[in-house]
Each structure stands twice: as structure tokens, then as C-alpha cells.
Amino acid sequence: MTSLSAHTVKSLLLGITGGVAAYKAAELARLLIQGGVDVQTIMTQSACHFIGSVTLQALTGKPVFTDMWQANNISNMAHINLSREVDVILIAPASADFIAKLANGIADDLLATLCLARDCPLLIAPAMNRQMWENPATQRNLAVLRHDGVKIFGPADGAQACGEVGMGRMLEANELVESIQGIFQPKLLQDQRVLITAGPTFEAIDAVRGITNASSGKMGYALARAALDAGAEVTLVSGPVCLAPPAAAKCVNIVSARDMLVAVKKEMSRTDIFISVAAVADYRVARTRKQKIKKTDNALMLELVPNPDILQYVANLPEAPFCVGFAAETEDLEKNAEIKRLKKKIPLLVANLAQDTIGADDSMLVLFDDEGKQYLSKAPKIDQARRLIKHIAFLYKKQRS
Ligand code: C5P
């Protein structure tokens, strides 16, 4: 069987099995096609009850195969050839029934036969009722698949179509697309424990008002994704943002800088690498009012006191993890960044221009370390995150050797 190597997926066989989540497969196909992936769809007979093959045909621009004998009209060996032409097979949604078939090597329809006869990696995104998911039979089948090298994405926890709440929701299409590309990334941080702070902090002034920083959390979340894809165990300590964390990361939600410090301290004994991306508010009010402050025509004075510098605290620990800081500057980027790196005594500082990067989907970065500086030209944040993880892995290994 082909090993998972460092490249991106160019062609994919999308297998859809019978479940309500089949509707999400249409969005998935659309995102994959948009990302330049060639998609060939195979649907089981049950899947056809949930979504029309014409939808998938229109989205992928290719005929959809729904049964073994129809497929054989086009190619004598469709059950073998179709998988030879792709980098990977993804079953989304993968029903409990189909998972049971895969675990037992049953080949009674085109999709199951293709999976058995494949020579490419097999990925599945399970979707089912929570009790079907928790059933020991399903869990046994999943253990068999894991042992056989099948990669399992999700499921997620939450409200289900059946009205129940629990594990069994198929991952969202965008998360699946990222996860698919992720498994082909080099495992540069295999089993390393990475702690990332992300997003802004919010410092309450009174019951309804507060001080915060403009920060979308996009870079920190992209780094969490990239670190997971590099094989790391990731904990994400996040301020209030409108982003979904990667399902495989442990996520700790906080509000204020002091909450963030508490969360970071808790993780310290299990952290090898600390990446401080959060835009931590430098000050908080000396006295937070419980009630809303009444508006008057007079000026209002607030006394501000400095917040703890979390990165500096971690970097100064006797057994500090490998520390990476970020600097968002509006002027004199390079001068300010190098001063900051030396002041915080950290091996790597990542600088970017605040006005270009805050809230944006792409960024331009300058990396400062003991060797000097390195420019990462403008690119989507997930690509920058992957480049940065590569550099971090290089410096981290060098420091330890
Ligand atoms: O000193 P400055 O705030 O510009 O430094 C930015 C870096 O320090 C970022 O990595 C940020 O996450 C971290 N930081 C922190 N705690 C603070 C302020 C900044 O961890 N109170």
C-alpha cells in the first residue's frame, strides 16, 4: 500500500454512503474542486436515497458511479481501475454499516470493492447516531480499521439530525478538506507537545464594556492545524474568536489575560514548544465594576494596570519550553521585532505588519532568530503556518541536539 508522503492531494475518489450527512458531501466536493482537486464520486444505493447523483455530477463535472454493473459498462475493471487513478479514497459520510463492511473485507458493492482493491490511502469521515457510534460493535470495527492504517476524521460532538445530542456528526466540509491535505504533510513534530495561545484577550471594564485587541485568531488557529498535521499533540488556549478549532486539538477557551496565564501555567509540565500568537491586552482596569457604569457628560478616568506578560513568564521558567513569539508592529517592523526578541529572551520571533495582517486571510512574515532574519513572502495563513512549523521544527531539533 502507498505510504503517506509529503505532497498534496491532486485527485480523490469520494465515496458517499447512506446517511443524512450525505448532503454535506456536495459542499465537500465543491470545496475540493475549488482547491484544484480532481474528484470522482461513487455513491452507494443507500446514499442515492439521501442525495441525487446529478448534484455530484454537476459539481465534479464527471459521471457518478452508483453500481458495479453500470460502472463496468465504461471500464471492464472499474472496481479496480477507479482507485488506481487517484491519490486517495475518502468515504464521507461513512455509515456504521459501511464501516462494518470495511472492517470485515466485505466487497458486495462497487464502493466496498474499490476499497478492498485499492493501493492508495483510505480516509473515512464517520457520521451516525450517537448510540450507533458508541455501540461496541462500531468501536471494534473502528479499532480494526485504525490497525489497518485507515485514517479516521471525526466525528464531532453536537446536535444530530435524529434530535439527539452526542458524538456522531460528520466533520464540516472545510475541516475535512484541511484534514485531507494535512495527512500528507511531513511529520516534523511527531509526538511533540505544542501549546499555542491565539486570538485577543478581553479585559472587562464593567458588566458590558471591555478593553480588547483587534485579532481574528486566524494565524494561531492555522498554526494549530499545521502543528497537528506535523504530528504534534496540540493545546490551543484561545481568547474570544469566531473560528472553529481543529477537532483534534485540545481547546481551552479563556477571556482575560490573567485567565490565559492560568491556562498556560496548567499546561506547562506537558509542553515542549510554546507558540505565543495571542494578542494579549497589555493593560486591564485596576477595578472592574460589577454594574454598568452610567453615562454622564463628564470625562471618565479609568486606571489601567499592566497585565502579566505570559510569553516572558514562560521564557524565564527554569525548564522553559522552546518559545516562539509574535510581534505585530505598525512601524519600524524589523527594528522593533529584534528588540522584542532580545528583551523576551526567546529563540524565535515572528514579525508582521499589524495593518496588513489583522483579520486578513494571508500575511507576510519576517522570522528573527540567532542566525538572522528570513522573509516568508505573502501567502495564505495556513501556508505560512506550515512554513513556520518547518522552521520551528528545525530550530527545536538543533537546540536539543
Ligand atoms: O510585547 P508585545 O506585546 O508586543 O509582545 C508580543 C508577544 O508577546 C506575542 O507573542 C504575544 O503573544 C506575547 N504577549 C504575552 N503576554 C502579554 C503581551 C504579549 O504573552 N501580556
Side-chain angles (χ1 to χ4, degrees):
M1 204 150 288
T2 324
S3 67
L4 303 181
S5 57
H7 70 294
T8 54
V9 174
K10 295 273 183 299
S11 58
L12 175 145
L13 197 150
L14 174 62
I16 307 177
T17 70
V20 184
Y23 76 92
K24 291 188 185 175
E27 174 70 356
L28 176 61
R30 194 182 70 84
L31 290 181
L32 287 166
I33 296 278
Q34 261 178 3
V37 181
D38 190 56
V39 179
Q40 171 64 64
T41 314
I42 314 286
M43 294 172 67
T44 63
Q45 292 296 308
S46 307
C48 295
H49 290 284
F50 289 94
I51 183 170
S53 61
V54 179
T55 307
L56 272 303
Q57 179 163 330
L59 288 168
T60 61
K62 284 190 178 188
V64 172
F65 297 116
T66 55
D67 88 68
M68 182 95 95
W69 314 114
Q70 162 218 7
N72 281 350
N73 288 339
I74 296 163
S75 153
N76 282 337
M77 289 284 173
H79 67 290
I80 292 174
N81 295 342
L82 287 170
S83 81
R84 299 290 182 269
E85 292 155 13
V86 294
D87 295 328
V88 66
I89 299 178
L90 168 69
I91 313 292
S95 65
D97 175 64
F98 197 79
I99 287 170
K101 274 194 207 181
L102 286 177
N104 290 286
I106 294 172
D108 63 351
D109 67 12
L110 178 61
L111 187 55
T113 312
L114 273 164
C115 291
L116 199 60
R118 77 186 188 279
D119 74 347
C120 63
L122 175 59
L123 323 174
I124 64 168
M128 66 197 72
N129 161 272
R130 73 177 171 88
Q131 270 165 333
M132 291 170 89
W133 172 256
E134 284 161 13
N135 193 296
T138 304
Q139 290 303 318
R140 258 197 318 275
N141 291 332
L142 288 159
V144 169
L145 291 184
R146 266 185 217 109
H147 178 263
D148 291 349
V150 175
K151 184 86 189 151
I152 302 164
F153 295 140
D157 205 352
Q160 304 201 310
C162 55
E164 295 183 8
V165 178
M167 285 294 280
R169 283 171 60 90
M170 188 169 99
L171 294 190
E172 297 305 325
N174 58 346
E175 172 128 35
L176 280 174
V177 172
E178 281 183 5
S179 305
I180 294 161
Q181 295 298 2
I183 61 155
F184 290 93
Q185 299 302 317
K187 303 300 166 213
L188 299 171
L189 292 179
Q190 188 65 50
D191 300 330
Q192 301 304 320
R193 296 159 307 174
V194 175
L195 175 65
I196 299 173
T197 62
T201 65
F202 179 89
E203 314 297 327
I205 294 172
D206 65 15
V208 294
R209 304 183 182 94
I211 299 171
T212 190
N213 280 326
S215 167
S216 63
K218 285 179 185 170
M219 193 65 215
Y221 278 55
L223 271 163
R225 170 88 265 154
L228 284 168
D229 295 343
E233 265 177 46
V234 176
T235 300
L236 183 61
V237 176
S238 176
V241 295
C242 301
L243 300 172
K250 173 181 164 193
C251 193
V252 183
N253 292 311
I254 57 85
V255 176
S256 70
R258 286 186 297 174
D259 295 342
M260 185 173 267
L261 179 60
V262 170
V264 164
K265 278 183 176 171
K266 266 195 199 146
E267 294 298 326
M268 265 309 100
S269 62
R270 22 176 203 275
T271 298
D272 301 309
I273 298 172
F274 176 51
I275 314 179
S276 181
V277 197
V280 184
D282 291 321
Y283 297 93
R284 66 179 187 278
V285 292
R287 197 167 63 86
T288 304
R289 320 284 169 90
K290 280 210 171 65
Q291 306 302 331
K292 186 178 169 189
I293 302 169
K294 287 290 160 223
K295 186 168 76 173
T296 69
D297 291 336
N298 301 327
L300 174 69
M301 302 294 286
L302 290 173
E303 188 192 346
L304 300 182
V305 293
N307 265 330
D309 189 311
I310 301 164
L311 177 57
Q312 205 154 325
Y313 163 81
V314 174
N316 282 297
L317 287 172
E319 306 226 342
F322 183 88
C323 286
V324 182
F326 268 70
E329 302 290 341
T330 52
E331 55 188 350
D332 290 334
L333 178 70
E334 298 191 12
K335 194 173 112 209
N336 286 330
E338 188 56 353
I339 291 171
K340 200 162 284 184
R341 186 177 88 88
L342 298 174
K343 182 172 167 239
K344 302 213 183 202
K345 298 199 191 86
I346 51 174
L348 175 63
L349 186 123
V350 183
N352 50 18
L353 272 176
Q355 55 272 40
D356 290 351
T357 190
I358 292 174
D361 287 327
D362 38 37
S363 65
M364 206 277 279
L365 304 178
V366 194
L367 316 188
F368 293 85
D369 57 37
D370 286 343
E371 312 270 295
K373 63 185 169 195
Q374 194 178 320
Y375 294 90
L376 300 187
S377 59
K378 193 167 176 171
K381 284 183 175 169
I382 183 65
D383 296 346
Q384 295 295 48
R386 295 202 199 288
R387 292 174 185 170
L388 190 51
I389 288 293
K390 192 171 166 197
H391 194 65
I392 291 170
F394 169 75
L395 293 179
Y396 174 64
K397 277 180 194 149
K398 198 165 133 190
Q399 190 197 60
R400 290 209 311 177
S401 63

